[in-house]
Amino acid sequence: MRTGKQYLKSLNDGRTVILDGEVVGNVLEHPAFAKVARTMSELFDIAADPANGMQFHSEEIDGPANRTFAAPRTQEELVLRRQAIEKWAKHTHGWVGRSPDHVGTFFAAFGSHPDVFKNEERDFAGNVERYYKKILSENLYLSYAIIPPQVSRATTASGWEGEYLQVGVVRETEEGIVVRGSQMLATGAAIADEVFVTCIKPLGPDDVDFAVSFAIPVATDGLKLYCRRPFAPAATSDFDYPLTSHYDEPDALVVFDDVLIPWDRVFINRNIDTLRRQFFDTGAHALGNWQAQIRFSTKLKFIASVARKVTQVNGTDKIPGVQEKLGELAAIVQSVESAVLAAEYTATTDDAGMRVPGKSALYGAMGLQSETYPRVISILRDLVGGGVLQLPSSVADMTSSVTRPDMERYVQSPGVTSEERVKLFKLAWDIIGSEFAGRHQQYEMFYAGAPFVVRGAYTYRNYGYDALVAELDTFLGSYGIDGTTASEGI
Ligand SMILES: Cc1cc2nc3c(=O)[nH]c(=O)nc-3n(C[C@H](O)[C@H](O)[C@H](O)COP(=O)(O)OP(=O)(O)OC[C@H]3O[C@@H](n4cnc5c(N)ncnc54)[C@H](O)[C@@H]3O)c2cc1C
């Protein structure tokens, strides 16, 4: 299996990553990307080491592959898959949202349901199968851009002024389709191998040109990544910003300047119906978002541990009111892990033989995520008080002989050295207050879609209201004006 070193080596490939009006040369030499790329390489090394139990024998490629890219066929495989995802998530404490297991999981489901992509003119089903094998055999890191740019949400792209603002097909050639336009916010693309591009938002009949699905190397002619302001370069040290410095995944607007997508990289071409079905008839949306919840649960547990330690250091943990706050935090954090396990427990096997996590439990947790995460952050914010600001400006104040004595005398707690205290509270600030922290709040609230979409389209539709209402109707039908009583009726 590909190692971290091999992954890093492949990144200097002439990709067009843009920051501050300029094309970044080698991303590995730029402070915005170097450390987070190294974090990803560590993940690949963990997966490549058989001792970590993250490999499996893939029948598709008849060889060893990354367990997080496996399509689970049995309950045992589903459990092993969760454990492999947890292994990676624990390495980053859940602070890397789009590690390679995220989009890789979607392709595990696509590759197991090639029929969904079947097309009379071209072998798109075969393309999906072959591409999934490529991911397995090359241990690829994919990012994705599946949301139209935020131009106007009053209409879909066909109603916008200006042609091809959203990525769409301009023309077809013998070699493939030529696409132009943009798609919003591909997290990780600047340091990924490939980018998967499609549209998960519902489109209308006039949007057919935008109904595409394809994957291409990031270093493709005409593909440009406009990255948001990175936070890692401003991180003065690991000690000052322990999360920002290692886990600042870049987010980028993806722009296509008439990019040729070879036919073998196309999965859907101008087909609105298949566009929706790729996510929902393959089980990809459930399997992919289950990966995200496993990662989310790992992160919440990490935040809870910081909250608990802060109260210990500050000597507030014996106060009943503080214990109640820690109790609320524990309840929220546990509910997410419970949903992950409940989705595993209620998994079903679909027509293609793939185990799909239980949707009611999965989408139930996701429906609350836009409140869960801000609430968790708010509790930690409450517990740390001003301690996250009563801190030295940087690690330099801790090492300078002029300032160190004051730090050791005034910024410490009973039985806790100055270094230990400052370290903990700087970590807390990177969770609640740094720019990285702000981006994470936005990420957790929006990564699976705006909250109105998650609740309306996923949680509501998958809850199973029909069965509940049927039971209610049985009860209501058991008594009436003829004098039948409810107890007799039941
Ligand atoms: C940090 C971060 C990382 C991301 N990474 C990725 C990625 O890797 N790949 C990717 O494809 N996407 C990514 N996204 C994009 C993400 O998928 C979108 O942000 C998400 O789908 C919501 O779309 P939007 O931001 O356009 O919000 P909008 O759809 O514009 O909604 C914004 C708000 O407008 C209101 N609103 C809009 N329409 C309605 C309506 N019809 N009814 C009610 N209220 C409405 C709601 O208040 C809603 O919350 C990322 C986003 C963030 C923040």
Side-chain angles (χ1 to χ4, degrees), residues 131-178:
Y131 190 68
Y132 175 46
K133 284 183 191 172
K134 183 179 168 66
I135 295 172
L136 287 166
S137 55
E138 296 178 25
N139 204 10
L140 283 184
Y141 171 14
L142 267 75
S143 56
Y144 67 12
I146 61 173
I147 300 289
Q150 222 182 37
V151 174
S152 164
R153 296 295 185 233
T155 64
T156 50
S158 59
W160 296 344
E161 270 183 39
E163 290 188 329
Y164 293 105
L165 299 181
Q166 175 173 344
V167 65
V169 185
V170 184
R171 60 181 180 276
E172 294 179 14
T173 71
E174 272 184 22
E175 289 82 40
I177 55 173
V178 175

Side-chain angles (χ1 to χ4, degrees), residues 323-337:
Q323 290 179 353
E324 192 254 327
K325 285 171 190 173
L326 287 172
E328 182 188 346
L329 183 59
I332 296 171
V333 173
Q334 184 53 55
S335 71
V336 174
E337 184 173 28

Side-chain angles (χ1 to χ4, degrees), residues 16 18 24 38 68 80 90 128 136 152 167 175 178 229 247 292 304 310 375 406 418-419 445 461 490:
T16 308
I18 298 163
V24 173
R38 192 153 296 282
T68 70
L80 288 169
K90 278 186 179 161
V128 167
L136 287 166
S152 164
V167 65
E175 289 82 40
V178 175
R229 171 142 298 284
Y247 308 133
V310 159
R375 183 67 196 137
D406 277 344
S418 182
E419 180 176 341
M445 290 177 70
R461 286 186 204 157
I490 293 168

Side-chain angles (χ1 to χ4, degrees), residues 187-204:
T187 297
I191 54 164
D193 298 307
E194 305 235 338
V195 58
F196 167 51
V197 180
T198 188
C199 181
I200 195 172
K201 283 206 173 223
L203 297 179

Side-chain angles (χ1 to χ4, degrees), residues 98 143-150 153 183-188 200-201 228 251 439-440 442-444 446-453:
R98 299 283 197 239
S143 56
Y144 67 12
I146 61 173
I147 300 289
Q150 222 182 37
R153 296 295 185 233
Q183 205 70 330
M184 83 184 264
L185 235 45
T187 297
I200 195 172
K201 283 206 173 223
R228 64 153 167 84
D251 305 299
R439 183 259 176 203
H440 264 265
Q442 210 66 6
Y443 179 77
E444 301 299 0
F446 282 93
Y447 76 75
F452 79 90
V453 174

